[in-house]
């Protein structure tokens, strides 16, 4: 995984608005059929299971939503981008992640983020966070959940499958985090200092474009 210190913050465009603004997150039969034709019956079932997780947890407590989303995606396999996509860095959509039954840490974190947004968790409570995984001496991404602006975040991770407060994850060193509201440089285990608002990034724009195409059942151009 290549880590890039973005000079412009990543922003969430149409697809994020779609997931957060709609009363119901609903994948359709055409998408399930498309996945089955390309990747097989088991792949289509995994995508259907994602829909069921969202449907079954709409009215659950936030704690249960975090647990179920984290558990659901952590069943998938870790696969390096170069091996999986023949690219140094590729951000898969949740459908691509589920269809191919694997991805890297960014794919785990992104899929969890979109799922929790679909369940109604506010953007300001979620951060995609780049860290250094000290036990592996490598760059890594996790999803952080902040109950309040001053809370120590809970960490949703594919390396350690337990959801723990960041101050209990001494194996992770925060670098920076982002969401639709801005980019924050790390400050110990807390919320950090916001350094930029607005902007865009090619990887994120490409991810959002592919998610929109999936929902509209269009082929890549």
């Amino acid at each position: 995984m290549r880590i890039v210190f973005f000079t412009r913050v990543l922003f969430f465009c149409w697809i994020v608005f779609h997931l957060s603004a709609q009363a119901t997150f609903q994948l359709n039969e055409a998408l399930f059929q498309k996945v089955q034709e390309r990747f097989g019956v088991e792949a289509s079932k995994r995508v259907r299971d994602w829909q069921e997780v969202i449907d079954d947890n709409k009215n659950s407590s936030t704690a249960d939503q975090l647990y179920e989303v984290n558990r659901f995606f952590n069943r998938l396999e870790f696969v390096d981008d170069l091996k999986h996509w023949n690219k140094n860095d590729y951000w898969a959509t949740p459908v691509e992640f589920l269809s191919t039954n694997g991805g890297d840490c960014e794919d785990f974190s992104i899929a969890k983020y979109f799922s929790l947004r679909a369940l109604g968790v506010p953007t300001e409570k979620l951060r995609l966070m780049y860290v250094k995984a000290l036990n592996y001496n490598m760059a890594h991404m996790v999803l952080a959940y902040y109950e309040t602006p001053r809370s120590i975040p809970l960490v949703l991770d594919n390396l350690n499958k337990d959801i723990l407060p960041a101050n209990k994850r001494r194996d992770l060193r925060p670098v920076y985090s982002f969401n639709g509201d801005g980019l924050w440089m790390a400050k110990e285990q807390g919320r950090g200092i916001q350094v930029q608002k607005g902007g865009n990034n090619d990887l994120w724009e490409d991810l959002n474009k592919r998610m929109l195409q999936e929902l509209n059942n269009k082929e890549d151009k």
Side-chain angles (χ1 to χ4, degrees):
M1 180 193 70
R2 184 186 64 199
I3 189 168
V4 181
F5 286 84
F6 306 121
T7 58
R8 297 174 299 169
V9 66
L10 306 179
F11 81 110
F12 294 85
C13 53
W14 187 92
I15 187 65
V16 179
F17 174 80
H18 179 88
L19 286 176
S20 60
Q22 300 301 313
T24 303
F25 171 75
Q26 188 65 53
L27 303 176
N28 57 50
E29 287 297 327
L31 175 60
F32 298 142
Q33 184 61 35
K34 184 177 178 181
V35 170
Q36 182 171 326
E37 290 172 356
R38 184 172 180 184
F39 298 102
V41 173
E42 288 301 315
S44 181
K45 184 179 184 301
R46 286 191 294 271
V47 178
R48 288 179 185 274
D49 289 344
W50 180 35
Q51 178 72 66
E52 289 185 10
V53 168
I54 301 301
D55 292 343
D56 291 347
N57 289 281
K58 273 291 187 182
N59 298 316
S60 299
S61 67
T62 301
D64 285 343
Q65 291 174 341
L66 294 173
Y67 172 81
E68 292 297 337
V69 166
N70 194 57
R71 180 190 63 83
F72 177 74
F73 285 106
N74 279 348
R75 297 181 301 178
L76 275 66
E77 299 179 11
F78 177 88
V79 188
D80 180 80
D81 279 341
L82 193 59
K83 179 179 179 181
H84 202 48
W85 300 106
N86 198 31
K87 295 183 179 182
N88 287 329
D89 207 4
Y90 182 80
W91 291 6
T93 70
V95 171
E96 291 173 327
F97 182 36
L98 290 163
S99 297
T100 59
N101 198 29
D104 70 358
C105 60
E106 292 158 334
D107 303 327
F108 281 92
S109 300
I110 288 167
K112 293 171 187 178
Y113 173 89
F114 279 117
S115 299
L116 291 168
R117 291 296 294 119
L119 286 167
V121 178
T123 301
E124 60 268 21
K125 292 191 174 186
L126 297 170
R127 297 268 193 88
L128 292 161
M129 181 176 288
Y130 271 114
V131 299
K132 182 174 182 180
L134 300 178
N135 292 342
Y136 298 90
N137 192 31
M138 68 178 188
H140 184 51
M141 182 187 276
V142 299
L143 180 64
Y145 169 79
Y146 293 79
E147 177 61 32
T148 70
R150 293 185 174 274
S151 294
I152 293 174
L154 297 175
V155 176
L156 284 69
D157 187 11
N158 65 291
L159 292 179
N160 185 334
K161 301 184 190 303
D162 294 329
I163 299 176
L164 297 172
N167 60 358
K168 301 294 185 182
R169 292 298 308 275
R170 296 301 184 182
D171 57 315
L172 303 179
R173 179 182 298 160
V175 179
Y176 70 88
S177 62
F178 60 91
N179 63 14
D181 297 331
L183 171 69
W184 286 262
M185 299 308 295
K187 183 180 180 181
E188 299 301 330
Q189 301 291 338
R191 200 167 180 83
I193 301 171
Q194 186 170 13
V195 295
Q196 198 162 0
K197 298 179 180 179
N200 59 68
N201 170 266
D202 290 343
L203 283 170
W204 194 258
E205 288 185 338
D206 180 58
L207 168 68
N208 282 286
K209 177 183 175 182
R210 284 180 281 113
M211 288 187 71
L212 178 56
Q213 289 171 334
E214 287 171 351
L215 289 176
N216 290 336
N217 299 301
K218 294 180 179 179
E219 299 291 338
D220 293 342
K221 295 182 178 180

